[in-house]
Amino acid sequence: MRTATRLFAPVSKAERFVPKLGSYPKGYVVGGIHCGVKKNKDALDLAMLHNVSGNPSVASAVFTTNKFKAAPVQISSKLIKEKNGQINSIIVNSGNANAVTGTQGLKDAQDMIRVTDAVLENTEDSTLVMSTGVIGQNLPIDNILQGIPRLGLSNLGASHDHWLACAQAICTTDTFPKLVSKQFEIKGKTYSMAGLAKGAGMICPNMATLLGFFATDAPVTQNALNQIVKYAVDRSFNSISVDGDMSTNDTIVAIANGAAGGDLIDASTETAEEFSILRAEVTDFAQQLAKLVVRDGEGATKFITIKVTDALSYREAKEVASTIANSSLFKTAMFGNDANWGRILCAVGYADVGSNSVNPQRTTVSFIPSDGSEPLPLLVNGEPEQVDEARASEILKEEDLEVQISLGTGGGQEATFWTCDLTHEYVTINADYRS
């Protein structure tokens, strides 16, 4: 008797990476609706977060370094400085970036803030605004301004479904919404953190066409939050690359309302331990979100971790890792399952670091399999290994791969960067993005 072969449909990224439930911070309501920015009426395109704890909240943000900063970036970066981080809400539209839109774009961004503050009964200028989508087109601002009351008055909540709708409403070419939540402890006190991000293309430091915000109910000063966010973003959202392109709209915002109670955490000697714990938790959280962006890289089939060790400084380790991550030759080799370690060394060699920052005679390169089996050395102390091509091919066929490079300087510093392969599908997606 012939045994029938049972075929299983591949598990989608949404099924693997979109959570079915979460642990959400106290004192926030969120949501997402369709307001008419996107043509598809089933596509959510307006998102909101609002602090309803009764406690004043503080916010910190990191913005794109692109010279053509979008109108919402210009307005929000100015506002957060003027308000000393006293921000109560966030409003986001997807489908249109409101970038390179002149004075009309600035007015539209300000109007989004004005209407949101009025609907939520905030004090004036207590909302940050973000936009993402096509560059160079004016917002359908009337649709957005009419959608804000509908969202703010009847479509906000604190449930998992509300958080998921919020994450869905900021997506553009993303294939799945990126939502992460967690609980953590500081000195026996339990806190929660949740956040979302969007991004699949134009992903390269400093950040990318990347929006994200996360909220916590931990009590922290703005000064401490500023330091924590800068540290965390440098090691997460500024340590990823999909295609080497930087957008006009990149924004990451963190907001804290202290609704879970406990002593106020500052960057002082009195709360140094608590500050260190919170910084580590935020960094881990930001890395989880950032990795989801890479996993959703446009057309990507591989998630690649690049770890550079034994550098003279963290900055130089990160520069080398970034250079490899943005090498089209390296990324296409990974797509083709080609163990061409010469492309890795080539990128190491032209990285913008000092002349003594790489020791060619002590440099080692290895593939680290995702299944935990023995690493596959490609180059050891500057000497090429006899590579087992069959095993290399097996390792490279897996979705997850780590490439480890020791620069052999004796400096002992290291950095990790995350990237993906470069595929035919990436070209297809971006060739007709506006069509």
Side-chain angles (χ1 to χ4, degrees):
M1 179 187 295
R2 177 179 292 177
T3 303
T5 301
R6 187 175 181 182
L7 299 178
F8 294 89
V11 178
S12 70
K13 289 183 178 180
E15 291 176 291
R16 286 189 292 155
F17 300 125
V18 178
K20 301 296 189 296
L21 48 84
S23 301
Y24 297 104
K26 299 176 181 177
Y28 297 98
V29 290
V30 300
I33 62 168
H34 173 80
C35 74
V37 183
K38 295 176 180 175
K39 296 177 182 178
N40 182 353
K41 293 182 179 180
D42 294 325
L44 306 185
D45 54 19
L46 189 66
M48 185 182 290
L49 174 143
H50 182 44
N51 168 35
V52 293
S53 68
N55 297 340
S57 51
V58 295
S60 179
V62 178
F63 299 96
T64 182
T65 58
N66 194 302
K67 293 180 177 61
F68 287 95
K69 293 177 175 60
V73 171
Q74 295 180 54
I75 297 297
S76 290
S77 58
K78 179 182 178 183
L79 187 60
I80 202 168
K81 291 177 183 177
E82 292 179 347
K83 297 284 289 188
N84 293 316
Q86 304 302 303
I87 298 299
N88 211 46
S89 309
I90 301 170
I91 184 74
V92 189
N93 78 269
S94 60
N96 185 309
N98 192 13
V100 199
T101 46
T103 55
Q104 183 62 48
L106 294 171
K107 181 182 182 301
D108 289 346
Q110 290 170 327
D111 283 346
M112 289 175 66
I113 291 173
R114 175 182 55 80
V115 173
T116 301
D117 283 337
V119 168
L120 299 178
E121 300 182 350
N122 287 333
T123 58
E124 185 178 357
D125 291 338
S126 294
T127 297
L128 296 183
V129 60
M130 306 182 201
S131 298
T132 183
V134 176
I135 294 171
Q137 298 180 6
N138 288 326
L139 290 172
I141 191 61
D142 290 342
N143 293 352
I144 294 173
L145 298 184
Q146 291 167 18
I148 289 173
R150 184 158 51 91
L151 174 57
L153 295 176
S154 59
N155 285 281
L156 297 182
S159 71
H160 173 72
D161 286 343
H162 284 97
W163 278 92
L164 187 57
C166 193
Q168 291 169 331
I170 70 172
C171 292
T172 52
T173 61
D174 307 61
T175 63
F176 65 91
K178 298 157 186 68
L179 173 64
V180 173
S181 67
K182 66 184 291 188
Q183 288 188 326
F184 59 97
E185 285 193 5
I186 299 179
K187 294 291 187 71
K189 188 74 177 178
T190 300
Y191 298 106
S192 297
M193 188 183 309
L196 44 110
K198 67 80 50 182
M202 291 184 78
I203 303 295
C204 178
N206 288 306
M207 294 189 297
T209 186
L210 172 63
L211 299 185
F213 56 83
F214 49 93
T216 182
D217 50 21
V220 58
T221 66
Q222 202 223 2
N223 175 51
L225 189 61
N226 281 341
Q227 295 184 44
I228 288 169
V229 168
K230 184 178 184 301
Y231 180 93
V233 168
D234 191 47
R235 289 159 177 78
S236 57
F237 296 106
N238 279 345
S239 291
I240 61 174
S241 179
V242 168
D243 50 18
D245 271 305
M246 184 199 304
S247 176
T248 53
N249 290 60
D250 316 336
T251 305
I252 296 292
V253 177
I255 187 169
N257 64 9
D263 295 332
L264 189 64
I265 299 171
D266 194 8
S268 62
T269 54
E270 289 80 4
T271 58
E273 183 179 352
E274 293 90 337
F275 174 85
S276 179
I277 294 171
L278 182 59
R279 187 177 71 174
E281 293 291 350
V282 171
T283 301
D284 173 75
F285 179 88
Q287 288 176 347
Q288 290 183 56
L289 266 179
K291 289 177 184 178
L292 290 178
V293 173
V294 176
R295 288 193 180 278
D296 198 23
E298 290 173 344
T301 66
K302 288 185 173 60
F303 176 82
I304 305 166
T305 299
I306 299 174
K307 186 172 184 179
V308 175
T309 66
D310 204 19
L312 294 178
S313 67
Y314 167 76
R315 187 202 70 79
E316 292 196 326
K318 184 178 176 182
E319 177 63 29
V320 171
S322 171
T323 303
I324 299 168
N326 285 301
S327 165
S328 296
L329 287 176
F330 166 72
K331 290 159 71 69
T332 51
M334 295 301 95
F335 173 60
N337 300 327
D338 181 7
N340 191 341
W341 54 266
R343 294 183 176 181
I344 300 171
L345 277 192
C346 181
V348 172
Y350 65 72
D352 186 17
V353 295
S355 58
N356 296 321
S357 300
V358 179
N359 185 341
Q361 286 73 43
R362 300 288 296 173
T363 296
T364 296
V365 179
S366 301
F367 285 157
I368 312 298
S370 59
D371 62 5
S373 60
E374 286 294 314
L376 178 65
L378 307 172
L379 182 78
V380 177
N381 291 328
E383 295 290 336
E385 294 291 290
Q386 188 65 40
V387 178
D388 183 341
E389 294 291 348
R391 182 157 183 257
S393 179
E394 288 179 3
I395 293 171
L396 290 172
K397 285 178 182 176
E398 297 297 319
E399 180 180 356
D400 286 31
L401 167 70
E402 179 176 326
V403 180
Q404 195 168 108
I405 304 98
S406 171
L407 301 183
T409 68
Q413 299 298 304
E414 62 181 51
T416 304
F417 213 92
W418 296 277
T419 190
C420 59
D421 53 351
L422 189 59
T423 70
H424 305 297
E425 182 65 17
Y426 176 85
V427 178
T428 300
I429 292 169
N430 284 280
D432 61 359
Y433 176 65
R434 295 200 308 161
S435 301

